[in-house]
Amino acid sequence: MSHAPVLLVIAHGSRDPRHAATVHALVERVRSLRPGLRVETGFLDFNIPSVQGVLESLAAEGVRDVVALPLLLTRAFHAKADIPAVLRDAPRGLRIRQADVLGPSPLLLSALERRLFEAGLTPADKSSTGVVLASAGSTDPEAIAVIAAIAREWRHTGWCAVRPAFASASLPRTEDAVRSLRALGCETVAVAPYVLAPGFLPDRIARGADAAGADVLADVLGPAPEVARVLVERYEGALVRVPAALGA
């Protein structure tokens, strides 16, 4: 197992200390799922170590193979532009495969339900409960379309209704989605943040839920066991690809 490519989890980073703490908790859970696997964490911004710093350290140690896994739920700007740009600047001789982003995945829907049930709902409540699938938001149409598709798919698992909402860049906002579910006649309205870690936008989602009188606010996905399993799946999926010899 020591020869397996190193898994480098690439997180966005945040000024909010809860973000890095949550990322590290998730990475610890991944390590527990794959005890022989070396897992490192790098941040794009705000936190250390930087992605570049981790890559340089790995290269200096003589590591040759790395799987870079974007800790992102959708293929928006960071996955398409920022991360490939950082990886292109990697030290010579490192072979890097970029894994897919985490979403969409049935495991993430399971994690969302786990958080809702932890917040007080039960499976018996599903048919009378409308859920706001509250994401951070994006200016990327592909990312927005994916969130809408996840909401439609999740609705078919028995909820009264599921509405997407966005904390930035797109509409509707969380509070508007809560009100629309109330108007639809759902007995209970719950907000499920489709975000990985606490921070500025998740706080905005929580304020919107509160302002519109949502009955239930779930926690962020964080280090849910299902999320850790998605990371392992994405790592294993990347292993079947031919690596790019970056900087060679």
Side-chain angles (χ1 to χ4, degrees):
M1 184 63 81
S2 61
H3 297 299
V6 171
L7 170 55
L8 171 56
V9 176
I10 300 180
H12 185 275
S14 169
R15 291 188 180 89
D16 188 320
R18 296 174 298 169
H19 173 89
T22 303
V23 170
H24 292 309
L26 174 57
V27 167
E28 278 306 317
R29 200 179 273 272
V30 173
R31 290 190 181 112
S32 72
L33 288 177
R34 290 289 300 269
L37 178 63
R38 180 171 176 183
V39 188
E40 299 289 345
T41 308
F43 295 90
L44 288 173
D45 212 349
F46 302 117
N47 302 100
I48 54 171
S50 67
V51 176
Q52 191 67 24
V54 175
L55 291 171
E56 286 169 6
S57 296
L58 291 173
E61 279 180 43
V63 169
R64 285 290 164 260
D65 286 290
V66 175
V67 170
L69 197 164
L71 198 59
L72 299 167
L73 293 171
T74 57
R75 258 182 52 76
F77 181 77
H78 294 299
K80 294 176 180 176
D82 285 7
I83 291 173
V86 172
L87 298 181
R88 277 195 297 274
D89 288 338
R92 294 172 66 83
L94 271 183
R95 291 185 295 262
I96 302 180
R97 300 166 173 92
Q98 183 174 331
D100 290 333
V101 297
L102 304 188
S105 164
L107 285 168
L108 293 177
L109 287 182
S110 298
L112 285 165
E113 296 207 345
R114 169 190 291 275
R115 294 300 189 227
L116 284 168
F117 297 151
E118 288 170 353
L121 292 176
T122 70
D125 296 322
K126 286 180 77 165
S127 62
S128 60
T129 301
V131 180
V132 177
L133 179 69
S135 81
S138 173
T139 54
D140 188 308
E142 181 188 347
I144 298 302
V146 165
I147 299 296
I150 293 168
R152 285 195 298 273
E153 180 187 342
W154 200 18
R155 159 73 183 82
H156 295 312
T157 66
W159 297 101
C160 169
V162 180
R163 292 277 191 275
F166 307 95
S168 69
S170 340
L171 294 172
R173 293 281 180 261
T174 301
E175 48 270 43
D176 299 323
V178 168
R179 291 182 186 112
S180 80
L181 288 169
R182 195 74 79 195
L184 198 63
C186 296
E187 204 173 295
T188 302
V189 177
V191 174
Y194 189 58
V195 290
L196 286 165
F200 176 73
L201 293 176
D203 284 350
R204 183 181 282 177
I205 289 169
R207 284 196 303 273
D210 185 54
D215 302 294
V216 174
L217 171 64
D219 200 356
V220 297
L221 295 172
E226 297 86 356
V227 179
R229 283 169 55 202
V230 177
L231 266 73
V232 172
E233 279 188 4
R234 296 296 180 255
Y235 171 79
E236 290 171 347
L239 292 183
V240 301
R241 295 183 195 156
V242 178
L246 295 178

